[in-house]
Amino acid sequence: QSSGINAEYGQDRIFGGGCQPDLRQQLWPFLLNVYPWNSTLEERAAIMEERKNEYEVLKNQWKSITPMQLKRFSLYRDREALVEKDVLRTDRALDFYKGENNQHVADLYEMLMTYCQYNFDLGYVQGMSDLLSPLYLLFKDKLMAFWAFVGYMDMVESHFFLDQQKIQGKLSDLSSLVYYCDSELYNHLEKEDSSNFFFCFRWLLINFKREFRDEDILELWEVIWTCPYNTDYTLFIATAILLQERAPIIEKKMCFADILRYINDLSQRIDLREVLGNTESLFHNIRSQPDIPFNIRNNILRIEDTPLSSLGSQHNAGRSLQNVPEPESARDNVMSREQEGLCDPVTVCEQDGSRDPASLLVENVSNMSLGQP
């Protein structure tokens, strides 16, 4: 039998109201491109048999490296050391990964090392374990978790490129959205040397994995994966959160270090329902403006000549929409600001005395992998 679900219809339903938790094991392989939506049971069984064989080949490749090879393979040694370090501090508070000599932690190590063989060019970069961990917790099956992770990484691989061009671009777009929606907040951030939005680096790198409760991040990821709009919905999620938190940032005249600390302290305390409602409202408020600046219209919303009415939404009808600020009058131009180069997210940089925003950013991203909020 086929899955019986049209891909567009299925994704639209999931975006609008989420997926029942007891159906995620069945539906996520479709969302993460492990299975085609129109595949039959027989076809899916054949796919998994082929994937099982490929996984074993990849796993055996790295497990068969000899000591003599290892001695001359510095790239492999570096990746192995980073994987080993990260899995020992990824979601260890969860019962599934808790305790010494935990087999599930060993499985994470195996899957990430196998992914290094699958994707030689990228290998392993700090933060990837945060994306795999919830998948394994959901499926409780190494084979399915691995190939679901492959599908997820296909979506976000560019987040982890060494040149960080993708993340820098997203931070720049986030800056444009906040400037357009709330000039008072933006002006405060600019005054405090925070308009680079480095304090949101972790949000965008791993799709808010550390910011929401464990049971909520699964639903948020579903919304991101199934967004029907031709845009990067994570930018609107990030903007909605910042608009929700604007008052204390402005009223307390927070500097960069204060903002970074405040944003980190939001971890596990952000209300998913409020964010989803505000994000949807914010998106359509912006989308309905008649004079959207070119950068937002073409590069973020990617509207081009699509009629404005074509995205009238019934999505998230089951989620309560909260009031968010209407976008201010569109400006003739949105400032184009060249982003400073981001520090390598796997580097820990400690300096004596005062630290500049860049070094604080590195500490922030490093804390992500250390299991700290």
Side-chain angles (χ1 to χ4, degrees):
Q1 298 178 357
S2 70
S3 65
I5 302 176
N6 174 274
E8 184 176 351
Y9 173 78
Q11 292 175 353
D12 192 66
R13 288 293 299 273
I14 292 172
F15 178 81
C19 176
Q20 288 182 227
D22 59 349
L23 293 179
R24 286 191 172 117
Q25 285 189 355
Q26 287 73 46
L27 287 176
W28 276 33
F30 296 97
L31 294 177
L32 293 170
N33 298 315
V34 178
Y35 301 139
W37 282 86
N38 62 351
S39 59
T40 65
L41 288 173
E42 292 78 9
E43 289 169 341
R44 294 198 286 274
I47 288 171
M48 287 312 295
E49 185 63 27
E50 181 179 349
R51 296 288 176 86
K52 177 182 178 181
N53 294 334
E54 185 173 359
Y55 181 84
E56 290 300 317
V57 169
L58 294 169
K59 181 180 70 173
N60 290 334
Q61 286 175 354
W62 66 267
K63 285 200 167 186
S64 64
I65 291 178
T66 68
M68 293 296 289
Q69 288 177 302
L70 190 60
K71 185 178 179 181
R72 296 165 175 80
F73 199 169
S74 60
L75 180 60
Y76 175 89
R77 295 197 306 270
D78 291 343
R79 289 176 173 177
E80 182 183 37
L82 189 57
V83 169
E84 186 174 35
K85 181 171 63 175
D86 276 5
V87 298
L88 291 177
R89 42 193 202 188
T90 299
D91 290 335
R92 296 306 299 275
L94 299 178
D95 289 340
F96 192 69
Y97 296 114
K98 190 178 294 184
E100 297 295 324
N101 302 315
N102 186 302
Q103 182 58 47
H104 300 138
V105 176
D107 292 341
L108 282 182
Y109 171 83
E110 177 187 302
M111 287 184 278
L112 290 170
M113 290 301 299
T114 302
Y115 184 80
C116 289
Q117 293 299 115
Y118 174 82
N119 190 340
F120 275 118
D121 290 337
L122 181 63
Y124 179 79
V125 179
Q126 195 171 45
M128 289 164 54
S129 61
D130 283 276
L131 302 183
L132 175 59
S133 171
L135 299 178
Y136 190 33
L137 180 60
L138 172 68
F139 291 113
K140 297 179 175 59
D141 176 87
K142 279 192 298 183
L143 188 62
M144 181 57 77
F146 175 81
W147 290 110
F149 176 67
V150 167
Y152 199 172
M153 284 302 302
D154 286 346
M155 301 177 189
V156 299
E157 179 180 4
S158 59
H159 289 191
F160 298 94
F161 287 171
L162 185 61
D163 63 13
Q164 297 181 345
Q165 183 176 348
K166 181 66 174 181
I167 292 295
Q168 289 188 53
K170 293 182 73 156
L171 290 171
S172 178
D173 288 341
L174 177 60
S175 177
S176 295
L177 279 174
V178 173
Y179 176 76
Y180 177 65
C181 295
D182 191 336
S183 60
E184 183 182 9
L185 174 59
Y186 179 85
N187 289 337
H188 172 77
L189 296 175
E190 188 172 47
K191 178 183 177 182
E192 299 298 335
D193 293 326
S194 302
S195 59
N196 48 35
F197 287 79
F198 284 166
F199 53 86
C200 296
F201 185 98
R202 185 175 74 185
W203 291 5
L204 301 179
L205 180 71
I206 54 174
N207 281 350
F208 307 94
K209 161 49 168 68
R210 292 283 180 176
E211 317 318 317
F212 290 85
R213 291 181 289 272
D214 297 319
E215 60 271 21
D216 288 340
I217 193 60
L218 305 183
E219 184 174 352
L220 182 65
W221 281 358
E222 290 168 350
V223 169
I224 293 170
W225 298 338
T226 60
C227 175
Y229 314 128
N230 185 28
T231 190
D232 183 346
Y233 208 56
T234 62
L235 297 174
F236 294 89
I237 295 170
T239 302
I241 296 173
L242 290 174
L243 295 184
Q244 290 174 195
E245 304 299 331
R246 68 183 301 279
I249 292 174
I250 295 172
E251 292 169 3
K252 296 181 180 180
K253 299 179 180 180
M254 294 185 185
C255 64
F256 179 87
D258 294 333
I259 295 169
L260 181 59
R261 189 177 302 109
Y262 180 78
I263 293 297
N264 275 349
D265 287 345
L266 293 177
S267 179
Q268 304 289 310
R269 298 193 295 108
I270 302 176
D271 185 277
L272 178 67
R273 288 290 174 273
E274 182 180 7
V275 168
L276 290 177
N278 286 348
T279 301
E280 182 80 353
S281 179
L282 175 69
F283 175 83
H284 288 290
N285 283 340
I286 296 175
R287 186 66 168 73
S288 65
Q289 299 304 302
D291 52 353
I292 307 171
F294 178 87
N295 179 45
I296 293 177
R297 179 181 177 85
N298 283 49
N299 299 333
I300 300 176
L301 290 172
R302 302 165 191 159
I303 295 175
E304 297 180 349
D305 295 324
T306 305
L308 288 175
S309 60
S310 65
L311 284 182
S313 174
Q314 296 299 320
H315 296 291
N316 291 298
R319 299 173 176 131
S320 61
L321 300 184
Q322 304 294 323
N323 292 325
V324 296
E326 292 283 347
E328 299 178 4
S329 299
R331 300 154 178 82
D332 293 334
N333 293 290
V334 172
M335 296 171 61
S336 60
R337 293 165 295 277
E338 181 178 6
Q339 296 293 335
E340 301 176 9
L342 292 175
C343 299
D344 189 320
V346 302
T347 304
V348 178
C349 178
E350 295 287 346
Q351 295 182 352
D352 294 329
S354 62
R355 288 175 290 176
D356 62 13
S359 65
L360 284 168
L361 164 70
V362 176
E363 181 181 39
N364 174 38
V365 178
S366 177
N367 284 344
M368 168 191 69
S369 66
L370 292 171
Q372 301 171 9

